[in-house]
Amino acid sequence: MVQAEKTIFIHDDTYHYTAAYYTTNKWVDADTLVLSRSESETIGAMKPEACELVLYSCKDQSMKVICNDITNFNSYVVHQKLVYYTNRTQLRCIDLDTGENRLIYEKDFDEIEAFGGPQITNDGKTVSLYANREDFGGFFFTVDTQTGRSRKLLTKRFESPFHFANHGMICPENPDLLFFAHEGNTFYISNRLWLYDAKTDKAWNLAKQSLNQCGNLGDCFGHESWAYDGKGMYFVKYHCSPTPPTGICYVDIGTGKHELLYTSYNYWHVGSSQDGRFLLADTLAPDHNEVVVIDREDGSETVIDRVKGKAHPAHPHPQMSLDNKKVVYTALDDAGRTGVKITFLKQSSFAATAL
């Protein structure tokens, strides 16, 4: 069981800060991470210079701007000393050792006007990206980080009124395997989780949702993230599901079998530490969001903070540092501005254990 020791709150009177999306790594090393900030409360207005990336040190709380042309708070991912980000039509890479900001890929598909949502494989060789458009729903492709070559995976449109496919996430251990989500009202969507295999060009619904005794949707699923080993996915069965119990779930991608794991709170988002030992989650409550660390070794579900939140980009979206000693998440300050909290954990000196 973990315990909170101290918390740093990064906020000021000029900028709104976030720690990106919870499914993308933002840690350079155990003490350094990349944050996004903007004068706009939406953290990026989809135009040049609307949003900056800053390099932040937990050791001395210093901050350095590394780019100012990112166009959305969740449009970047960190892999070691490289920061990949999108600015609507380009995928760029910042080398933190040299300071070089180079173009990796520029839009070459006529179907899309702008793209984002970068996710990266564990080896750093493949980035997945996606775009949405009203007439086709979702468009998914990958880029080779060494050559810049793009690879179209699929275009997917579901039936109206909820026709969008999004949340594309490349498997961390298999660049031929992509997760995507059927987006829409959680009370309506009965086939939320999908996988696509580029080798076979097949897509299938990964986790079957049950109906209740009245024939209505019983399971409301969402907010998925890959397990670091690429063998399965974590997701949330929301508290609003008509059929209890609810909580954090895991699905094995090989068998399609899913199970409910943790049920103590009204869970909202869930992600994994990079060694698989911890799950990081937030919750929905009437006037606050709880930030929860789950230790898979002892099964404990520990609230380390309660924060004020609202709609994107102010969801907490917690993520563990690379050494399992810190948790980063987004919160509102007393003035209602979006800031970033980093909580240091007392009992995280143990060796990382892969599960």
Side-chain angles (χ1 to χ4, degrees):
M1 180 177 178
V2 301
Q3 290 179 293
E5 182 175 26
K6 67 174 181 178
T7 299
I8 297 171
F9 196 5
I10 305 163
H11 64 113
D12 58 45
D13 294 334
T14 301
Y15 294 101
H16 296 262
Y17 293 83
T18 77
Y21 207 51
Y22 69 102
T23 60
T24 56
N25 177 58
K26 67 272 303 176
W27 291 91
V28 178
D29 55 39
D31 295 301
T32 312
L33 72 164
V34 177
L35 306 175
S36 56
R37 74 179 188 183
S38 174
E39 294 185 30
S40 166
E41 66 178 1
T42 61
I43 312 295
M46 297 302 288
K47 62 182 180 180
E49 299 183 357
C51 195
E52 297 178 334
L53 291 181
V54 295
L55 191 66
Y56 181 84
S57 170
C58 296
K59 286 185 175 180
D60 59 14
Q61 299 184 31
S62 62
M63 198 179 305
K64 175 186 176 182
V65 176
I66 59 173
C67 85
N68 63 3
D69 63 330
I70 188 172
T71 48
N72 196 279
F73 81 99
N74 66 345
S75 294
Y76 72 97
V77 60
V78 179
H79 184 265
Q80 299 173 358
K81 293 295 186 70
L82 301 176
V83 182
Y84 295 93
Y85 73 95
T86 62
N87 59 10
R88 286 183 60 85
T89 61
Q90 295 178 332
L91 174 67
R92 304 192 66 88
C93 177
I94 303 169
D95 187 322
L96 295 176
D97 282 333
T98 66
E100 179 188 15
N101 184 330
R102 63 188 177 93
L103 175 67
I104 301 294
Y105 161 82
E106 194 155 25
K107 182 179 78 71
D108 59 355
F109 295 111
D110 292 336
E111 296 98 320
I112 58 177
E113 298 173 0
F115 58 81
Q119 302 279 333
I120 197 165
T121 51
N122 287 338
D123 61 12
K125 294 181 179 180
T126 306
V127 170
S128 66
L129 300 151
Y130 70 90
N132 286 124
R133 206 171 74 187
E134 189 68 29
D135 55 349
F136 60 63
F139 179 97
F140 304 90
F141 64 105
T142 60
V143 173
D144 185 304
T145 59
Q146 299 302 309
T147 66
R149 293 194 189 97
S150 64
R151 179 191 188 191
K152 179 179 177 179
L153 297 182
L154 82 158
T155 301
K156 179 68 175 180
R157 179 186 173 90
F158 293 100
E159 294 296 326
S160 295
F162 303 110
H163 61 276
F164 281 113
N166 62 13
H167 285 222
M169 294 185 283
I170 198 73
C171 175
E173 289 293 324
N174 182 355
D176 291 317
L177 197 61
L178 177 85
F179 168 84
F180 65 94
H182 183 182
E183 188 63 272
N185 188 313
T186 188
F187 288 110
Y188 174 93
I189 302 299
S190 60
N191 56 351
R192 165 75 186 196
L193 284 74
W194 286 77
L195 282 183
Y196 171 78
D197 188 334
K199 286 185 176 180
T200 62
D201 194 31
K202 300 295 184 183
W204 66 97
N205 183 205
L206 176 61
K208 300 298 182 181
Q209 294 163 247
S210 66
L211 304 181
N212 64 16
Q213 60 184 1
C214 297
N216 298 318
L217 183 63
D219 298 333
C220 299
F221 289 172
H223 285 149
E224 308 80 8
S225 61
W226 279 102
Y228 190 67
D229 60 10
K231 295 180 180 179
M233 301 199 72
Y234 293 100
F235 63 94
V236 177
K237 180 181 176 182
Y238 298 131
H239 191 68
C240 63
S241 297
T243 304
T246 63
I248 292 172
C249 303
Y250 175 84
V251 58
D252 183 295
I253 65 168
T255 65
K257 178 183 178 181
H258 65 269
E259 57 183 328
L260 184 66
L261 301 177
Y262 302 99
T263 62
S264 295
Y265 297 97
N266 180 2
Y267 286 113
W268 193 16
H269 301 87
V270 61
S272 173
S273 63
Q274 292 204 18
D275 64 355
R277 174 166 178 174
F278 296 96
L279 299 181
L280 296 305
D282 56 26
T283 71
L284 278 169
D287 58 354
H288 66 270
N289 306 128
E290 294 147 318
V291 178
V292 183
V293 179
I294 298 167
D295 187 340
R296 293 183 58 214
E297 283 200 350
D298 62 19
S300 58
E301 301 169 65
T302 305
V303 175
I304 63 166
D305 200 0
R306 291 176 172 85
V307 299
K308 296 178 181 179
K310 57 180 180 181
H312 269 316
H315 298 168
H317 291 162
Q319 188 181 82
M320 187 79 86
S321 62
L322 301 180
D323 62 357
N324 291 347
K325 295 183 179 181
K326 308 171 194 71
V327 180
V328 60
Y329 48 100
T330 301
L332 295 180
D333 64 16
D334 291 338
R337 302 183 72 85
T338 306
V340 170
K341 283 190 168 185
I342 301 172
T343 290
F344 293 68
L345 302 177
K346 284 184 179 179
Q347 299 182 15
S348 295
S349 59
F350 38 74
T353 305
L355 297 176

